[in-house]
Amino acid sequence: MIPLSVLDLSFVNAGASPAQALQDSLALARHVDGLGFTRYWLAEHHALPSVASPAPEIMIGQIAAATRTLRVGSGGIMLPNHAPLMVAERFKMLEALFPGRIDLGLGRAPGTDGVTAQALRRRDVARGGDDFLDRLQELMLWETGDFPAGHPFRSVEVMPAGAPLPPLFLLGSSDYSAHLSAQVGTGFAFAQHFASFDAEAAMLAYRQGFRPSRWRESPHAILAVAAVCAPTDAEAERLALSAGLATLRRERGEYLPLPSLAEAEAYPYSAAERARLERGRARLHVGSPETLRARLGELAEATRADEIMVFSAIHDQAARRHSYTLLAEAFGSAPPAAA
């Protein structure tokens, strides 16, 4: 069966604080540790009331320290928001502290609104400018040390010396990062949970165009999906109401905390909103373990995914943890006793 991993946005629940959302992330990581999940990745978002963590590298260290078997990484570091040297330093430090357990996933979106992005980024980048490729090249050069002769950075030593950069993955929701990650020879993670681009086309383009490199000898493609699992299809549909209402609000620019199930059940959905939720079902996978094993298995086969990374927006934290347990059992990652 295909390996499973976890993508965690540290969503803030309605009625709870952002600090509690961070504690919920730690609790979920402890729960899935040992259930057979391969990775636990943390996202970077800024100035959004719905997302508690703007600093995945801090959460990575906390979660790696609290778990034993998981690879822990960024899904991802939004590279245009950071100096490449600082990214290299922080992730080499994480790798030195937790050798063989850290991943470095990189994205090119800001993870926020335009004003906050300007506050985060260097002032020498014009508004709307895209220097992702330059920053990616610089990050790689901090690892290889291959700055041109006479370049001032050749004299800078990245500390802690001797610790390598963790494995690199480029994140994407189109074929741009698929082609780029194939060209430079890194891993690739496709965000099917919010992409409008066809996942199969992007994943196959990456695999077909992959060039072996110092970063990776063979391709590794991760398919990130949104999923809600419960003992029955009906219960899973009920739990998914929170995610559906949150999606409708985000599309209106309302980045509110994840609504409770009671709030989602009581919301007066219009016919247009119900139709919108139905259209979005291609990006939200809901059902019992048997239903999701079949649906996600078919998707993994079509995209030739090496791994499925699951994001679950469920308000009730016990139900959220149980969703991951059921998925692990459905895909043969954990014995039934692990529940």
Side-chain angles (χ1 to χ4, degrees), residues 49-300:
S50 57
V51 180
S53 173
E57 66 273 23
I58 294 177
M59 289 299 294
I60 288 168
Q62 293 295 311
I63 287 176
T67 56
R68 297 175 293 107
T69 62
L70 293 166
R71 293 192 65 92
V72 190
S74 55
I77 290 291
M78 300 295 104
L79 189 54
N81 296 341
H82 306 276
L85 174 58
M86 294 188 71
V87 176
E89 289 175 334
R90 291 168 182 174
F91 277 82
K92 282 174 174 283
M93 189 168 179
L94 286 167
E95 181 66 26
L97 291 169
F98 307 101
R101 291 187 57 206
I102 305 299
D103 297 320
L104 176 49
L106 301 165
R108 60 192 285 258
T112 189
D113 61 272
V115 173
T116 306
Q118 287 298 310
L120 286 165
R121 298 179 180 190
R122 294 189 308 210
R123 297 301 191 267
D124 60 351
V125 178
R127 180 179 294 272
D130 186 351
D131 62 349
F132 175 76
L133 288 176
D134 291 340
R135 291 182 185 234
L136 177 62
Q137 181 183 39
E138 183 180 321
L139 176 63
M140 291 177 165
L141 288 171
W142 285 122
E143 173 67 3
T144 64
D146 294 333
F147 286 103
H151 195 288
F153 291 173
R154 283 180 67 92
S155 63
V156 178
E157 183 170 19
V158 184
M159 297 296 290
L165 270 183
L168 298 179
F169 293 81
L170 300 190
L171 316 183
S173 56
S174 70
D175 61 344
Y176 175 88
S177 291
H179 290 296
L180 179 58
S181 55
Q183 181 179 0
V184 300
T186 66
F188 174 58
F190 183 79
Q192 194 259 353
H193 56 294
F194 65 80
S196 57
F197 194 87
D198 180 62
E200 183 175 344
M203 297 279 279
L204 295 182
Y206 164 71
R207 188 171 298 279
Q208 292 164 1
F210 182 84
R211 301 177 184 175
S213 70
R214 67 167 291 147
W215 311 106
R216 183 173 292 278
E217 294 182 357
S218 58
H220 190 91
I222 298 175
L223 182 66
V225 302
V228 175
C229 191
T232 66
D233 286 346
E235 178 61 15
E237 293 287 349
R238 182 170 176 269
L239 291 175
L241 290 173
S242 294
L245 179 54
T247 297
L248 291 176
R249 287 173 169 172
R250 284 196 302 274
E251 290 179 351
R252 297 197 297 259
E254 300 171 4
Y255 291 89
L256 301 175
L258 185 68
S260 68
L261 188 53
E263 181 182 359
E265 287 178 319
Y267 181 84
Y269 297 91
S270 67
E273 287 173 329
R274 292 186 183 280
R276 171 63 191 87
L277 290 176
E278 186 61 31
R279 291 194 302 272
R281 272 313 181 87
R283 297 198 297 270
L284 177 60
H285 309 280
V286 180
S288 67
E290 296 76 16
T291 297
L292 290 187
R293 181 171 59 232
R295 182 169 179 177
L296 295 180
E298 291 175 0
L299 186 59

